[in-house]
Amino acid sequence: MKDIAEFVRDRRKALGMTQPELAEKAGTGLRFIRDLEQGKKTLRMDKVNQVLALFGFVLAPVSPEREA
């Protein structure tokens, strides 16, 4: 299963976008995109959702049984 960092990086690259382009389109800073793609453990969920929304996704709760 992919983590969010890998998911965002793969989606961005599949669309041929650079990190600065993603930051601009998502309305976040470049530093945030870099932190997100590097798997920083503490990030603002609202900003993560801004990025994920560009790909048609949002953060949502998942039951532990579903992850197994």
mmCIF file of all heavy atoms in Angstrom, residues 1-13 19 22 32-55 57-62 67:
data_model
loop_
_atom_site.group_PDB
_atom_site.id
_atom_site.type_symbol
_atom_site.label_atom_id
_atom_site.label_comp_id
_atom_site.label_asym_id
_atom_site.label_seq_id
_atom_site.Cartn_x
_atom_site.Cartn_y
_atom_site.Cartn_z
ATOM 1 N N MET A 1 0.844 -1.172 0.000
ATOM 2 C CA MET A 1 0.000 0.000 0.000
ATOM 3 C C MET A 1 0.895 1.243 0.000
ATOM 4 O O MET A 1 1.877 1.314 0.727
ATOM 5 C CB MET A 1 -0.917 -0.004 1.221
ATOM 6 C CG MET A 1 -1.734 1.241 1.314
ATOM 7 S SD MET A 1 -3.198 1.233 2.356
ATOM 8 C CE MET A 1 -2.666 0.627 3.893
ATOM 9 N N LYS A 2 0.554 2.207 -0.816
ATOM 10 C CA LYS A 2 1.319 3.449 -0.901
ATOM 11 C C LYS A 2 1.004 4.367 0.266
ATOM 12 O O LYS A 2 -0.126 4.402 0.748
ATOM 13 C CB LYS A 2 0.948 4.210 -2.179
ATOM 14 C CG LYS A 2 1.491 3.628 -3.431
ATOM 15 C CD LYS A 2 1.178 4.531 -4.600
ATOM 16 C CE LYS A 2 1.701 3.918 -5.868
ATOM 17 N NZ LYS A 2 1.522 4.795 -6.999
ATOM 18 N N ASP A 3 2.004 5.133 0.687
ATOM 19 C CA ASP A 3 1.724 6.178 1.657
ATOM 20 C C ASP A 3 1.399 7.462 0.896
ATOM 21 O O ASP A 3 1.484 7.507 -0.341
ATOM 22 C CB ASP A 3 2.882 6.357 2.639
ATOM 23 C CG ASP A 3 4.182 6.802 1.986
ATOM 24 O OD1 ASP A 3 4.180 7.193 0.803
ATOM 25 O OD2 ASP A 3 5.216 6.770 2.671
ATOM 26 N N ILE A 4 1.003 8.486 1.617
ATOM 27 C CA ILE A 4 0.583 9.738 0.963
ATOM 28 C C ILE A 4 1.738 10.356 0.190
ATOM 29 O O ILE A 4 1.543 10.860 -0.919
ATOM 30 C CB ILE A 4 0.004 10.728 1.998
ATOM 31 C CG1 ILE A 4 -1.327 10.190 2.518
ATOM 32 C CG2 ILE A 4 -0.195 12.104 1.375
ATOM 33 C CD1 ILE A 4 -1.947 11.029 3.607
ATOM 34 N N ALA A 5 2.942 10.305 0.742
ATOM 35 C CA ALA A 5 4.100 10.899 0.074
ATOM 36 C C ALA A 5 4.308 10.277 -1.304
ATOM 37 O O ALA A 5 4.459 10.988 -2.308
ATOM 38 C CB ALA A 5 5.348 10.721 0.927
ATOM 39 N N GLU A 6 4.296 8.966 -1.341
ATOM 40 C CA GLU A 6 4.502 8.257 -2.603
ATOM 41 C C GLU A 6 3.336 8.500 -3.571
ATOM 42 O O GLU A 6 3.544 8.689 -4.773
ATOM 43 C CB GLU A 6 4.648 6.759 -2.314
ATOM 44 C CG GLU A 6 5.046 5.934 -3.501
ATOM 45 C CD GLU A 6 5.237 4.474 -3.145
ATOM 46 O OE1 GLU A 6 5.012 4.072 -1.982
ATOM 47 O OE2 GLU A 6 5.611 3.716 -4.059
ATOM 48 N N PHE A 7 2.126 8.522 -3.040
ATOM 49 C CA PHE A 7 0.946 8.773 -3.861
ATOM 50 C C PHE A 7 1.030 10.126 -4.557
ATOM 51 O O PHE A 7 0.838 10.237 -5.769
ATOM 52 C CB PHE A 7 -0.320 8.700 -2.993
ATOM 53 C CG PHE A 7 -1.578 9.034 -3.724
ATOM 54 C CD1 PHE A 7 -2.229 8.071 -4.479
ATOM 55 C CD2 PHE A 7 -2.123 10.313 -3.658
ATOM 56 C CE1 PHE A 7 -3.401 8.380 -5.161
ATOM 57 C CE2 PHE A 7 -3.285 10.627 -4.333
ATOM 58 C CZ PHE A 7 -3.928 9.665 -5.094
ATOM 59 N N VAL A 8 1.331 11.171 -3.783
ATOM 60 C CA VAL A 8 1.402 12.529 -4.344
ATOM 61 C C VAL A 8 2.535 12.635 -5.355
ATOM 62 O O VAL A 8 2.348 13.169 -6.455
ATOM 63 C CB VAL A 8 1.562 13.587 -3.218
ATOM 64 C CG1 VAL A 8 1.888 14.957 -3.792
ATOM 65 C CG2 VAL A 8 0.298 13.644 -2.375
ATOM 66 N N ARG A 9 3.694 12.110 -5.014
ATOM 67 C CA ARG A 9 4.837 12.162 -5.930
ATOM 68 C C ARG A 9 4.516 11.441 -7.246
ATOM 69 O O ARG A 9 4.777 11.965 -8.328
ATOM 70 C CB ARG A 9 6.066 11.542 -5.252
ATOM 71 C CG ARG A 9 7.340 11.645 -6.044
ATOM 72 C CD ARG A 9 8.567 11.142 -5.281
ATOM 73 N NE ARG A 9 8.361 9.880 -4.586
ATOM 74 C CZ ARG A 9 8.197 9.747 -3.258
ATOM 75 N NH1 ARG A 9 8.242 10.806 -2.482
ATOM 76 N NH2 ARG A 9 8.012 8.564 -2.720
ATOM 77 N N ASP A 10 3.928 10.246 -7.150
ATOM 78 C CA ASP A 10 3.590 9.486 -8.355
ATOM 79 C C ASP A 10 2.549 10.207 -9.211
ATOM 80 O O ASP A 10 2.667 10.260 -10.435
ATOM 81 C CB ASP A 10 3.084 8.087 -7.997
ATOM 82 C CG ASP A 10 4.173 7.178 -7.454
ATOM 83 O OD1 ASP A 10 5.374 7.551 -7.529
ATOM 84 O OD2 ASP A 10 3.831 6.090 -6.952
ATOM 85 N N ARG A 11 1.534 10.770 -8.577
ATOM 86 C CA ARG A 11 0.495 11.505 -9.322
ATOM 87 C C ARG A 11 1.067 12.744 -10.005
ATOM 88 O O ARG A 11 0.755 13.040 -11.147
ATOM 89 C CB ARG A 11 -0.662 11.917 -8.397
ATOM 90 C CG ARG A 11 -1.505 10.785 -7.923
ATOM 91 C CD ARG A 11 -2.377 10.259 -9.056
ATOM 92 N NE ARG A 11 -3.078 9.080 -8.631
ATOM 93 C CZ ARG A 11 -4.336 8.821 -8.916
ATOM 94 N NH1 ARG A 11 -5.033 9.644 -9.647
ATOM 95 N NH2 ARG A 11 -4.886 7.722 -8.487
ATOM 96 N N ARG A 12 1.890 13.467 -9.263
ATOM 97 C CA ARG A 12 2.496 14.688 -9.819
ATOM 98 C C ARG A 12 3.338 14.347 -11.041
ATOM 99 O O ARG A 12 3.211 14.978 -12.090
ATOM 100 C CB ARG A 12 3.365 15.374 -8.746
ATOM 101 C CG ARG A 12 4.147 16.570 -9.271
ATOM 102 C CD ARG A 12 5.020 17.191 -8.223
ATOM 103 N NE ARG A 12 6.035 16.327 -7.674
ATOM 104 C CZ ARG A 12 7.180 16.008 -8.283
ATOM 105 N NH1 ARG A 12 7.438 16.465 -9.507
ATOM 106 N NH2 ARG A 12 8.078 15.228 -7.691
ATOM 107 N N LYS A 13 4.168 13.329 -10.910
ATOM 108 C CA LYS A 13 5.034 12.939 -12.022
ATOM 109 C C LYS A 13 4.229 12.408 -13.201
ATOM 110 O O LYS A 13 4.577 12.677 -14.356
ATOM 111 C CB LYS A 13 6.055 11.902 -11.554
ATOM 112 C CG LYS A 13 7.127 12.509 -10.667
ATOM 113 C CD LYS A 13 8.158 11.482 -10.266
ATOM 114 C CE LYS A 13 9.263 12.134 -9.448
ATOM 115 N NZ LYS A 13 10.323 11.174 -9.116
ATOM 116 N N GLN A 19 7.499 20.107 -8.759
ATOM 117 C CA GLN A 19 7.057 20.475 -7.418
ATOM 118 C C GLN A 19 6.595 21.936 -7.360
ATOM 119 O O GLN A 19 5.544 22.214 -6.771
ATOM 120 C CB GLN A 19 8.154 20.206 -6.394
ATOM 121 C CG GLN A 19 8.346 18.739 -6.107
ATOM 122 C CD GLN A 19 9.424 18.493 -5.073
ATOM 123 O OE1 GLN A 19 10.344 19.286 -4.902
ATOM 124 N NE2 GLN A 19 9.320 17.368 -4.375
ATOM 125 N N LEU A 22 3.107 22.143 -8.840
ATOM 126 C CA LEU A 22 2.091 21.586 -7.950
ATOM 127 C C LEU A 22 1.792 22.544 -6.810
ATOM 128 O O LEU A 22 0.630 22.766 -6.471
ATOM 129 C CB LEU A 22 2.551 20.231 -7.402
ATOM 130 C CG LEU A 22 1.606 19.549 -6.421
ATOM 131 C CD1 LEU A 22 0.218 19.341 -7.020
ATOM 132 C CD2 LEU A 22 2.189 18.227 -5.948
ATOM 133 N N PHE A 32 6.179 23.126 1.549
ATOM 134 C CA PHE A 32 5.153 22.176 1.976
ATOM 135 C C PHE A 32 5.127 20.960 1.054
ATOM 136 O O PHE A 32 5.055 19.814 1.522
ATOM 137 C CB PHE A 32 3.764 22.829 2.013
ATOM 138 C CG PHE A 32 2.704 21.858 2.420
ATOM 139 C CD1 PHE A 32 2.491 21.584 3.756
ATOM 140 C CD2 PHE A 32 1.946 21.185 1.472
ATOM 141 C CE1 PHE A 32 1.528 20.650 4.142
ATOM 142 C CE2 PHE A 32 0.990 20.257 1.847
ATOM 143 C CZ PHE A 32 0.787 19.997 3.189
ATOM 144 N N ILE A 33 5.192 21.184 -0.251
ATOM 145 C CA ILE A 33 5.182 20.075 -1.213
ATOM 146 C C ILE A 33 6.398 19.183 -0.990
ATOM 147 O O ILE A 33 6.287 17.955 -0.985
ATOM 148 C CB ILE A 33 5.142 20.595 -2.665
ATOM 149 C CG1 ILE A 33 3.853 21.385 -2.931
ATOM 150 C CG2 ILE A 33 5.298 19.443 -3.661
ATOM 151 C CD1 ILE A 33 2.565 20.598 -2.775
ATOM 152 N N ARG A 34 7.543 19.786 -0.791
ATOM 153 C CA ARG A 34 8.757 18.993 -0.541
ATOM 154 C C ARG A 34 8.615 18.169 0.738
ATOM 155 O O ARG A 34 8.952 16.988 0.766
ATOM 156 C CB ARG A 34 9.978 19.902 -0.478
ATOM 157 C CG ARG A 34 10.353 20.435 -1.830
ATOM 158 C CD ARG A 34 11.584 21.310 -1.769
ATOM 159 N NE ARG A 34 11.947 21.732 -3.123
ATOM 160 C CZ ARG A 34 12.644 22.807 -3.400
ATOM 161 N NH1 ARG A 34 13.083 23.589 -2.430
ATOM 162 N NH2 ARG A 34 12.927 23.119 -4.651
ATOM 163 N N ASP A 35 8.119 18.799 1.804
ATOM 164 C CA ASP A 35 7.912 18.084 3.067
ATOM 165 C C ASP A 35 6.918 16.936 2.876
ATOM 166 O O ASP A 35 7.128 15.829 3.375
ATOM 167 C CB ASP A 35 7.400 19.024 4.154
ATOM 168 C CG ASP A 35 8.465 19.967 4.685
ATOM 169 O OD1 ASP A 35 9.668 19.758 4.408
ATOM 170 O OD2 ASP A 35 8.088 20.930 5.392
ATOM 171 N N LEU A 36 5.843 17.198 2.160
ATOM 172 C CA LEU A 36 4.822 16.176 1.909
ATOM 173 C C LEU A 36 5.404 14.986 1.155
ATOM 174 O O LEU A 36 5.234 13.835 1.547
ATOM 175 C CB LEU A 36 3.655 16.794 1.122
ATOM 176 C CG LEU A 36 2.531 15.872 0.664
ATOM 177 C CD1 LEU A 36 1.878 15.166 1.836
ATOM 178 C CD2 LEU A 36 1.502 16.655 -0.123
ATOM 179 N N GLU A 37 6.127 15.257 0.086
ATOM 180 C CA GLU A 37 6.692 14.183 -0.734
ATOM 181 C C GLU A 37 7.836 13.448 -0.039
ATOM 182 O O GLU A 37 8.167 12.334 -0.416
ATOM 183 C CB GLU A 37 7.146 14.715 -2.094
ATOM 184 C CG GLU A 37 5.992 15.069 -2.986
ATOM 185 C CD GLU A 37 6.400 15.348 -4.427
ATOM 186 O OE1 GLU A 37 7.594 15.231 -4.781
ATOM 187 O OE2 GLU A 37 5.512 15.701 -5.214
ATOM 188 N N GLN A 38 8.426 14.065 0.967
ATOM 189 C CA GLN A 38 9.496 13.402 1.724
ATOM 190 C C GLN A 38 8.940 12.651 2.930
ATOM 191 O O GLN A 38 9.689 12.043 3.685
ATOM 192 C CB GLN A 38 10.550 14.421 2.155
ATOM 193 C CG GLN A 38 11.348 14.949 0.983
ATOM 194 C CD GLN A 38 12.290 16.079 1.368
ATOM 195 O OE1 GLN A 38 12.376 16.469 2.522
ATOM 196 N NE2 GLN A 38 12.985 16.610 0.385
ATOM 197 N N GLY A 39 7.625 12.687 3.111
ATOM 198 C CA GLY A 39 6.994 11.918 4.172
ATOM 199 C C GLY A 39 7.077 12.521 5.550
ATOM 200 O O GLY A 39 7.033 11.795 6.550
ATOM 201 N N LYS A 40 7.180 13.851 5.636
ATOM 202 C CA LYS A 40 7.211 14.494 6.952
ATOM 203 C C LYS A 40 5.987 14.054 7.749
ATOM 204 O O LYS A 40 4.872 14.024 7.234
ATOM 205 C CB LYS A 40 7.240 16.014 6.796
ATOM 206 C CG LYS A 40 7.354 16.743 8.120
ATOM 207 C CD LYS A 40 7.463 18.238 7.940
ATOM 208 C CE LYS A 40 7.538 18.922 9.297
ATOM 209 N NZ LYS A 40 7.563 20.363 9.166
ATOM 210 N N LYS A 41 6.202 13.704 8.997
ATOM 211 C CA LYS A 41 5.138 13.127 9.823
ATOM 212 C C LYS A 41 4.122 14.143 10.327
ATOM 213 O O LYS A 41 2.997 13.780 10.643
ATOM 214 C CB LYS A 41 5.741 12.385 11.021
ATOM 215 C CG LYS A 41 6.638 11.239 10.626
ATOM 216 C CD LYS A 41 5.860 10.148 9.936
ATOM 217 C CE LYS A 41 6.768 8.990 9.582
ATOM 218 N NZ LYS A 41 6.180 8.107 8.600
ATOM 219 N N THR A 42 4.506 15.413 10.434
ATOM 220 C CA THR A 42 3.585 16.420 10.954
ATOM 221 C C THR A 42 3.307 17.461 9.878
ATOM 222 O O THR A 42 4.142 18.315 9.599
ATOM 223 C CB THR A 42 4.153 17.103 12.212
ATOM 224 O OG1 THR A 42 5.437 17.640 11.891
ATOM 225 C CG2 THR A 42 4.285 16.126 13.359
ATOM 226 N N LEU A 43 2.149 17.346 9.270
ATOM 227 C CA LEU A 43 1.713 18.289 8.240
ATOM 228 C C LEU A 43 0.270 18.693 8.512
ATOM 229 O O LEU A 43 -0.495 17.920 9.078
ATOM 230 C CB LEU A 43 1.791 17.651 6.845
ATOM 231 C CG LEU A 43 3.184 17.314 6.330
ATOM 232 C CD1 LEU A 43 3.076 16.471 5.073
ATOM 233 C CD2 LEU A 43 3.962 18.580 6.029
ATOM 234 N N ARG A 44 -0.091 19.879 8.090
ATOM 235 C CA ARG A 44 -1.468 20.338 8.263
ATOM 236 C C ARG A 44 -2.382 19.576 7.313
ATOM 237 O O ARG A 44 -2.166 19.554 6.102
ATOM 238 C CB ARG A 44 -1.562 21.832 7.993
ATOM 239 C CG ARG A 44 -0.956 22.654 9.104
ATOM 240 C CD ARG A 44 -1.100 24.117 8.894
ATOM 241 N NE ARG A 44 -2.412 24.506 8.403
ATOM 242 C CZ ARG A 44 -2.712 25.743 8.032
ATOM 243 N NH1 ARG A 44 -1.802 26.683 8.079
ATOM 244 N NH2 ARG A 44 -3.918 26.036 7.604
ATOM 245 N N MET A 45 -3.410 18.957 7.881
ATOM 246 C CA MET A 45 -4.320 18.154 7.066
ATOM 247 C C MET A 45 -5.073 18.993 6.043
ATOM 248 O O MET A 45 -5.343 18.513 4.939
ATOM 249 C CB MET A 45 -5.294 17.388 7.953
ATOM 250 C CG MET A 45 -4.599 16.280 8.689
ATOM 251 S SD MET A 45 -5.605 15.129 9.661
ATOM 252 C CE MET A 45 -7.235 15.719 9.629
ATOM 253 N N ASP A 46 -5.398 20.237 6.375
ATOM 254 C CA ASP A 46 -6.108 21.062 5.403
ATOM 255 C C ASP A 46 -5.252 21.310 4.168
ATOM 256 O O ASP A 46 -5.748 21.274 3.039
ATOM 257 C CB ASP A 46 -6.594 22.373 6.021
ATOM 258 C CG ASP A 46 -5.466 23.265 6.537
ATOM 259 O OD1 ASP A 46 -4.422 22.741 6.998
ATOM 260 O OD2 ASP A 46 -5.636 24.500 6.508
ATOM 261 N N LYS A 47 -3.961 21.494 4.368
ATOM 262 C CA LYS A 47 -3.069 21.709 3.225
ATOM 263 C C LYS A 47 -2.857 20.417 2.438
ATOM 264 O O LYS A 47 -2.765 20.427 1.219
ATOM 265 C CB LYS A 47 -1.733 22.290 3.679
ATOM 266 C CG LYS A 47 -1.859 23.737 4.130
ATOM 267 C CD LYS A 47 -0.492 24.336 4.326
ATOM 268 C CE LYS A 47 -0.607 25.803 4.613
ATOM 269 N NZ LYS A 47 -0.458 26.614 3.426
ATOM 270 N N VAL A 48 -2.765 19.288 3.146
ATOM 271 C CA VAL A 48 -2.661 18.006 2.452
ATOM 272 C C VAL A 48 -3.900 17.816 1.577
ATOM 273 O O VAL A 48 -3.799 17.416 0.419
ATOM 274 C CB VAL A 48 -2.504 16.830 3.451
ATOM 275 C CG1 VAL A 48 -2.587 15.494 2.730
ATOM 276 C CG2 VAL A 48 -1.193 16.952 4.210
ATOM 277 N N ASN A 49 -5.069 18.148 2.095
ATOM 278 C CA ASN A 49 -6.302 18.020 1.314
ATOM 279 C C ASN A 49 -6.334 18.977 0.128
ATOM 280 O O ASN A 49 -6.921 18.654 -0.905
ATOM 281 C CB ASN A 49 -7.539 18.198 2.192
ATOM 282 C CG ASN A 49 -7.955 16.891 2.837
ATOM 283 O OD1 ASN A 49 -7.755 15.821 2.273
ATOM 284 N ND2 ASN A 49 -8.539 16.980 4.011
ATOM 285 N N GLN A 50 -5.714 20.143 0.252
ATOM 286 C CA GLN A 50 -5.622 21.061 -0.894
ATOM 287 C C GLN A 50 -4.880 20.388 -2.040
ATOM 288 O O GLN A 50 -5.274 20.503 -3.196
ATOM 289 C CB GLN A 50 -4.865 22.344 -0.507
ATOM 290 C CG GLN A 50 -5.672 23.370 0.208
ATOM 291 C CD GLN A 50 -4.818 24.584 0.547
ATOM 292 O OE1 GLN A 50 -4.638 24.875 1.707
ATOM 293 N NE2 GLN A 50 -4.300 25.277 -0.440
ATOM 294 N N VAL A 51 -3.805 19.696 -1.704
ATOM 295 C CA VAL A 51 -3.005 19.004 -2.726
ATOM 296 C C VAL A 51 -3.782 17.807 -3.271
ATOM 297 O O VAL A 51 -3.908 17.633 -4.487
ATOM 298 C CB VAL A 51 -1.641 18.561 -2.149
ATOM 299 C CG1 VAL A 51 -0.876 17.734 -3.162
ATOM 300 C CG2 VAL A 51 -0.817 19.776 -1.719
ATOM 301 N N LEU A 52 -4.324 16.981 -2.384
ATOM 302 C CA LEU A 52 -5.046 15.787 -2.819
ATOM 303 C C LEU A 52 -6.264 16.134 -3.671
ATOM 304 O O LEU A 52 -6.626 15.387 -4.585
ATOM 305 C CB LEU A 52 -5.476 14.954 -1.609
ATOM 306 C CG LEU A 52 -4.350 14.285 -0.820
ATOM 307 C CD1 LEU A 52 -4.925 13.557 0.400
ATOM 308 C CD2 LEU A 52 -3.560 13.337 -1.690
ATOM 309 N N ALA A 53 -6.897 17.270 -3.403
ATOM 310 C CA ALA A 53 -8.081 17.679 -4.166
ATOM 311 C C ALA A 53 -7.762 17.846 -5.650
ATOM 312 O O ALA A 53 -8.627 17.593 -6.500
ATOM 313 C CB ALA A 53 -8.661 18.971 -3.598
ATOM 314 N N LEU A 54 -6.541 18.226 -5.967
ATOM 315 C CA LEU A 54 -6.156 18.361 -7.376
ATOM 316 C C LEU A 54 -6.218 17.026 -8.107
ATOM 317 O O LEU A 54 -6.389 16.982 -9.321
ATOM 318 C CB LEU A 54 -4.742 18.929 -7.499
ATOM 319 C CG LEU A 54 -4.557 20.370 -7.084
ATOM 320 C CD1 LEU A 54 -3.080 20.742 -7.122
ATOM 321 C CD2 LEU A 54 -5.341 21.296 -8.000
ATOM 322 N N PHE A 55 -6.086 15.944 -7.352
ATOM 323 C CA PHE A 55 -6.111 14.602 -7.934
ATOM 324 C C PHE A 55 -7.455 13.909 -7.713
ATOM 325 O O PHE A 55 -7.609 12.739 -8.025
ATOM 326 C CB PHE A 55 -4.995 13.741 -7.331
ATOM 327 C CG PHE A 55 -3.631 14.375 -7.393
ATOM 328 C CD1 PHE A 55 -2.861 14.510 -6.259
ATOM 329 C CD2 PHE A 55 -3.106 14.843 -8.593
ATOM 330 C CE1 PHE A 55 -1.595 15.084 -6.299
ATOM 331 C CE2 PHE A 55 -1.842 15.426 -8.648
ATOM 332 C CZ PHE A 55 -1.091 15.545 -7.501
ATOM 333 N N PHE A 57 -8.990 13.476 -4.650
ATOM 334 C CA PHE A 57 -8.979 12.698 -3.415
ATOM 335 C C PHE A 57 -9.005 13.619 -2.203
ATOM 336 O O PHE A 57 -8.720 14.810 -2.316
ATOM 337 C CB PHE A 57 -7.719 11.826 -3.331
ATOM 338 C CG PHE A 57 -7.708 10.691 -4.312
ATOM 339 C CD1 PHE A 57 -7.267 10.884 -5.608
ATOM 340 C CD2 PHE A 57 -8.155 9.437 -3.937
ATOM 341 C CE1 PHE A 57 -7.250 9.847 -6.527
ATOM 342 C CE2 PHE A 57 -8.155 8.391 -4.843
ATOM 343 C CZ PHE A 57 -7.704 8.587 -6.137
ATOM 344 N N VAL A 58 -9.328 13.052 -1.041
ATOM 345 C CA VAL A 58 -9.240 13.746 0.250
ATOM 346 C C VAL A 58 -8.784 12.747 1.298
ATOM 347 O O VAL A 58 -8.936 11.535 1.119
ATOM 348 C CB VAL A 58 -10.586 14.366 0.703
ATOM 349 C CG1 VAL A 58 -11.027 15.482 -0.214
ATOM 350 C CG2 VAL A 58 -11.645 13.306 0.845
ATOM 351 N N LEU A 59 -8.239 13.262 2.385
ATOM 352 C CA LEU A 59 -7.928 12.410 3.540
ATOM 353 C C LEU A 59 -9.239 11.994 4.178
ATOM 354 O O LEU A 59 -10.157 12.797 4.292
ATOM 355 C CB LEU A 59 -7.113 13.176 4.572
ATOM 356 C CG LEU A 59 -5.656 13.438 4.266
ATOM 357 C CD1 LEU A 59 -5.045 14.300 5.364
ATOM 358 C CD2 LEU A 59 -4.889 12.149 4.132
ATOM 359 N N ALA A 60 -9.315 10.759 4.613
ATOM 360 C CA ALA A 60 -10.525 10.280 5.282
ATOM 361 C C ALA A 60 -10.148 9.172 6.259
ATOM 362 O O ALA A 60 -9.160 8.469 6.049
ATOM 363 C CB ALA A 60 -11.518 9.759 4.252
ATOM 364 N N PRO A 61 -10.944 8.991 7.299
ATOM 365 C CA PRO A 61 -10.674 7.912 8.242
ATOM 366 C C PRO A 61 -10.829 6.544 7.558
ATOM 367 O O PRO A 61 -11.673 6.366 6.685
ATOM 368 C CB PRO A 61 -11.747 8.073 9.309
ATOM 369 C CG PRO A 61 -12.325 9.430 9.097
ATOM 370 C CD PRO A 61 -12.081 9.792 7.683
ATOM 371 N N VAL A 62 -9.982 5.610 7.973
ATOM 372 C CA VAL A 62 -10.043 4.239 7.463
ATOM 373 C C VAL A 62 -10.004 3.311 8.658
ATOM 374 O O VAL A 62 -9.174 3.481 9.559
ATOM 375 C CB VAL A 62 -8.845 3.942 6.525
ATOM 376 C CG1 VAL A 62 -8.862 2.501 6.060
ATOM 377 C CG2 VAL A 62 -8.846 4.890 5.340
ATOM 378 N N GLU A 67 -7.195 -1.827 6.498
ATOM 379 C CA GLU A 67 -5.775 -1.728 6.180
ATOM 380 C C GLU A 67 -5.107 -3.093 6.104
ATOM 381 O O GLU A 67 -4.128 -3.270 5.424
ATOM 382 C CB GLU A 67 -5.043 -0.859 7.201
ATOM 383 C CG GLU A 67 -5.420 0.596 7.117
ATOM 384 C CD GLU A 67 -4.645 1.443 8.103
ATOM 385 O OE1 GLU A 67 -3.691 0.943 8.735
ATOM 386 O OE2 GLU A 67 -4.982 2.623 8.233
#
